[in-house]
């Protein structure tokens, strides 16, 4: 890819090893439910990937259910928890929209778990909410997709467990960037997405705690132990498995991003940026920053013209800038339309972070100069 790609939290570049295994699976193209030789080869690819994905997060392979991606996985996880006897939902204020929207449309009461100024969930609030008698599903992402802030999942799990609730953890952003151990986190359900790891888009996984099962949200034949109807995406799943192996192998390499990120962070802070979540533990590859008075789309376009690809902390459509949910939840409303997320991955080098920081500082200085000139003209 030409230019500097620093948008791995949106979608990681596909790894060469993944392209290779997917090409082989596409060439074979047997149905994994068929009993002939091609079908058996396809089934072997699926089951091999199931073990690889389970190994990445310390889970039992039999508990892994493949699906179309993180959105479906999170929806099924929440549906399964409610079917397991829970009567209400507690969802963190900075959850990904696919979790928040699934909760809002689940047909039960939803309570929002607040976060502090660094985006970390309020465990005292959670403990109080769990004292009420009805069983709750608690949905907390392991790491925020915008800020990279890592949540105290094990501590939250202890509270949920004591109250007899169900803990659903979206680990889509954290897996492959930091170590994720489902047993240590004590999650009842956990979700992953292949394309965040360097796999293909359109394939994910819902993983259950040992002894738990779920409900299907797609109906048809009995694939995936009857929990996900539809012929498995064998090439995508095979690539998912290889991506999981590569991600586990590269965890130490990912740690190198901390120094690169921090050096870039220091430059943009001096220029005037506010670091979002900078006082909390964060993913090593993620920098989320904002400035007041310079909206995200303008920053992204300016950077893109210099060959640097990053993303916004706010969603933009039809010319409108929507405030970042994460920034707003942290009480930083004045910055909510000016967020920029920078995220590296397996193909990132130190110079990419430096090039981003230099390009942003130069662009921001020009923006401030133009803004000052406009003020003088009006005066």
């Amino acid at each position: 890819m030409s230019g500097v790609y620093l948008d791995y939290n949106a979608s990681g570049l596909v790894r060469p090893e993944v392209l290779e295994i997917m090409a082989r699976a596409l060439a074979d193209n047997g149905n994994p439910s068929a009993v002939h030789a091609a079908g058996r080869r396809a089934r072997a690819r699926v089951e091999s990937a199931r073990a690889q994905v389970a190994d990445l997060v310390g889970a039992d392979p039999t508990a892994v259910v493949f699906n179309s991606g993180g959105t479906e996985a999170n929806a099924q996880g929440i549906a399964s928890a409610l079917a397991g006897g829970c009567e209400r939902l507690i969802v963190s204020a900075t959850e990904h929209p696919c979790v928040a929207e699934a909760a809002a449309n689940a047909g039960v009461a939803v309570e929002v778990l607040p976060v502090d100024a660094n985006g970390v969930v309020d465990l005292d609030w959670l403990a109080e909410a769990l004292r009420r008698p009805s069983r709750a599903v608690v949905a907390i992402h392991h790491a925020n997709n915008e800020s990279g802030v890592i949540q105290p999942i094990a501590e939250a799990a202890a509270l949920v467990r004591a109250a007899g609730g169900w803990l659903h953890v979206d680990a889509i952003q954290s897996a492959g960037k930091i170590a994720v151990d489902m047993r240590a986190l004590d999650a009842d359900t956990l979700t992953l997405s292949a394309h965040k790891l360097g796999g293909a888009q359109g394939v994910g996984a819902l993983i259950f705690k040992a002894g738990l099962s779920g409900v299907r949200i797609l109906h048809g034949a009995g694939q995936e132990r009857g929990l996900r109807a539809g012929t498995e995406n064998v090439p995508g799943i095979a690539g998912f498995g290889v991506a999981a192996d590569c991600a586990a192998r590269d965890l130490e390499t990912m740690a190198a991003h901390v120094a690169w990120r921090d050096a870039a962070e220091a430059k943009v802070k001096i220029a005037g940026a506010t670091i979002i979540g900078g006082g909390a533990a964060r993913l090593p590859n993620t920098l989320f920053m904002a400035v007041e008075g310079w909206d995200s789309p303008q920053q992204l376009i300016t950077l893109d013209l210099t060959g640097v690809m990053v993303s916004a902390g706010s969603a933009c459509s039809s010319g409108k800038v929507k405030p970042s949910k994460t920034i707003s939840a942290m009480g930083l409303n004045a910055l909510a339309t000016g967020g920029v997320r920078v995220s590296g991955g397996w193909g990132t080098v130190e110079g990419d972070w430096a090039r981003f920081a230099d390009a942003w500082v130069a662009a921001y200085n020009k923006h401030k100069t133009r803004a000052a000139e406009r003020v003088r003209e009006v005066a």
Side-chain angles (χ1 to χ4, degrees), residues 223-301:
Q223 292 92 348
E224 295 301 293
R225 295 186 293 115
L227 290 176
R228 207 280 181 175
T231 300
E232 293 93 340
N233 173 6
V234 178
I237 290 171
F240 193 178
V242 170
D245 271 355
C246 292
R249 175 199 69 199
D250 291 347
L251 281 175
E252 287 188 16
T253 304
M254 286 300 300
H257 283 259
V258 174
W260 304 345
R261 187 267 315 275
D262 288 354
E265 185 174 292
K267 289 182 181 180
V268 299
K269 280 180 71 175
I270 290 170
T274 296
I275 307 305
I276 309 300
R282 291 176 290 162
L283 297 175
N285 76 314
T286 303
L287 166 59
F288 193 33
M289 50 181 273
V291 290
E292 187 174 353
W294 194 22
D295 287 339
S296 303
Q298 297 170 345
Q299 296 181 60
L300 301 189
I301 291 168

Side-chain angles (χ1 to χ4, degrees), residues 105-120:
N105 289 280
V108 299
V110 179
E111 301 161 74
V112 177
L113 168 57
V115 298
D116 65 16
N118 277 304
V120 179

Side-chain angles (χ1 to χ4, degrees), residues 66-350:
F66 288 122
N67 49 47
S68 67
T71 296
E72 182 184 340
N74 281 317
Q76 188 177 16
I78 289 172
S80 296
L82 293 173
C86 292
E87 301 167 308
R88 60 192 174 107
L89 278 157
I90 297 173
V91 179
S92 82
T94 56
E95 243 11 71
H96 189 278
C98 72
V99 173
E101 289 299 313
N105 289 280
V108 299
V110 179
E111 301 161 74
V112 177
L113 168 57
V115 298
D116 65 16
N118 277 304
V120 179
V121 294
D122 186 335
L123 293 177
D124 290 336
W125 186 99
L126 178 61
E128 185 63 31
L130 288 170
R131 289 192 181 100
R132 291 193 281 279
S134 56
R135 289 184 66 205
V137 184
V138 178
I140 306 174
H141 46 17
H142 193 196
N144 180 261
N145 58 297
E146 291 182 281
S147 67
V149 167
I150 300 168
Q151 300 295 345
I153 298 297
E155 292 87 343
L159 299 174
V160 175
R161 203 64 56 226
W166 182 299
L167 179 63
H168 176 74
V169 176
D170 177 340
I172 289 168
Q173 285 297 344
S174 58
K177 296 163 187 165
I178 57 174
V180 177
D181 187 322
M182 188 171 179
R183 295 184 181 92
L185 295 176
D186 200 15
D188 293 294
T189 40
L190 182 141
T191 54
L192 300 173
S193 181
H195 74 109
K196 307 296 187 181
L197 303 171
Q201 296 165 349
V203 58
L206 171 64
I207 307 175
F208 289 88
K209 187 176 185 178
L212 295 180
S213 189
V215 294
R216 63 171 70 188
I217 59 175
L218 292 178
H219 300 278
Q223 292 92 348
E224 295 301 293
R225 295 186 293 115
L227 290 176
R228 207 280 181 175
T231 300
E232 293 93 340
N233 173 6
V234 178
I237 290 171
F240 193 178
V242 170
D245 271 355
C246 292
R249 175 199 69 199
D250 291 347
L251 281 175
E252 287 188 16
T253 304
M254 286 300 300
H257 283 259
V258 174
W260 304 345
R261 187 267 315 275
D262 288 354
E265 185 174 292
K267 289 182 181 180
V268 299
K269 280 180 71 175
I270 290 170
T274 296
I275 307 305
I276 309 300
R282 291 176 290 162
L283 297 175
N285 76 314
T286 303
L287 166 59
F288 193 33
M289 50 181 273
V291 290
E292 187 174 353
W294 194 22
D295 287 339
S296 303
Q298 297 170 345
Q299 296 181 60
L300 301 189
I301 291 168
T302 302
L303 288 170
D304 193 42
L305 290 172
T306 71
V308 177
M309 291 166 274
V310 296
S311 60
S314 57
C316 315
S317 60
S318 302
K320 294 184 178 180
V321 181
K322 296 180 180 178
S324 161
K325 176 183 174 182
T326 297
I327 296 178
S328 296
M330 295 160 67
L332 304 172
N333 292 317
L335 298 172
T337 60
V340 169
R341 180 186 66 187
V342 189
S343 52
W346 67 266
T348 305
V349 296
E350 183 176 7

